[in-house]
Amino acid sequence: MDLPILIQHGLVYGLILSALFTAVLLGAVVVNVEIMQNDYPPDVKKAYGPEKNPKTRGQRRIFSLLFLAALFGVIAWSVVSTARASSTQLTFLPLFVIIFVEVFTFNTWDLLILDWLIFVTLRPKFIFLPGTEGMAGYKDYFFHFKGFLIGIVFSLVSALVLAGIALIVVTAAQ
């Protein structure tokens, strides 16, 4: 497969991954905003203090499993789809490109749509930790940009690891 097709494939599955992550994330915040407390800006976390809902830890585990299921499910689906569409045996590099584009697409979606548009610009009431409404952290674009930069490193590392795993699985299946 050539690079443009790999990138297109990665973008399509990256957008599917982004849609699933968005549903899980918004579901988590609606169920209990404390589930995502660790991802809030430092001033907001400090003002809010420790978790107040005793159910938060268990709910966080459930939503973390949903995140992982979406991640691994979409990546597995994309690898299988790519293997079926390719007339040649998949090697590490094409798998890496597809998975990196998928994860990086979500990282970009997270910054632009979830963080900058929803969290910083629109600021719907359900995202506020109680008692922290109006704090400066809710308007901090740079805080989220730093998270995006960390996400680039995460995208590279996770794509390396997952492409290696996918290569082992694909090779074993052939």
Side-chain angles (χ1 to χ4, degrees):
M1 295 186 102
D2 62 355
L3 188 61
I5 292 172
L6 293 172
I7 292 172
Q8 180 183 16
H9 193 90
L11 283 170
V12 167
Y13 285 94
L15 289 173
I16 292 168
L17 180 64
S18 298
L20 289 173
F21 270 13
T22 299
V24 172
L25 177 72
L26 293 177
V29 172
V30 168
V31 166
N32 176 1
V33 70
E34 278 189 356
I35 292 171
M36 299 306 299
Q37 179 185 0
N38 295 335
D39 294 324
Y40 277 65
D43 65 329
V44 175
K45 287 193 292 192
K46 184 177 179 184
Y48 185 71
E51 292 175 0
K52 295 163 181 41
N53 185 337
K55 295 180 180 180
T56 298
R57 182 170 284 176
Q59 291 170 334
R60 186 176 292 126
R61 286 185 187 132
I62 291 168
F63 280 97
S64 294
L65 289 173
L66 289 173
F67 278 119
L68 289 173
L71 175 66
F72 291 123
V74 170
I75 288 174
W77 182 21
S78 73
V79 168
V80 168
S81 171
T82 303
R84 287 182 180 161
S86 177
S87 59
T88 60
Q89 183 175 352
L90 286 177
T91 60
F92 179 81
L93 188 58
L95 290 168
F96 171 79
V97 169
I98 291 166
I99 294 169
F100 175 77
V101 171
E102 288 173 27
V103 179
F104 185 76
T105 298
F106 170 69
N107 188 43
T108 304
W109 175 276
D110 181 51
L111 174 69
L112 298 176
I113 305 300
L114 298 177
D115 293 342
W116 284 0
L117 178 64
I118 295 173
F119 193 89
V120 178
T121 304
L122 299 175
R123 291 189 306 273
K125 293 181 191 239
F126 66 85
I127 66 153
F128 293 112
L129 290 163
T132 64
E133 299 83 353
M135 294 195 71
Y138 287 110
K139 300 172 189 164
D140 187 352
Y141 286 90
F142 189 66
F143 168 78
H144 297 286
F145 184 71
K146 288 187 290 187
F148 171 76
L149 295 176
I150 293 167
I152 293 173
V153 174
F154 173 79
S155 297
L156 284 168
V157 171
S158 63
L160 285 169
V161 171
L162 293 171
I165 293 168
L167 182 60
I168 292 168
V169 171
V170 166
T171 303
Q174 292 177 343

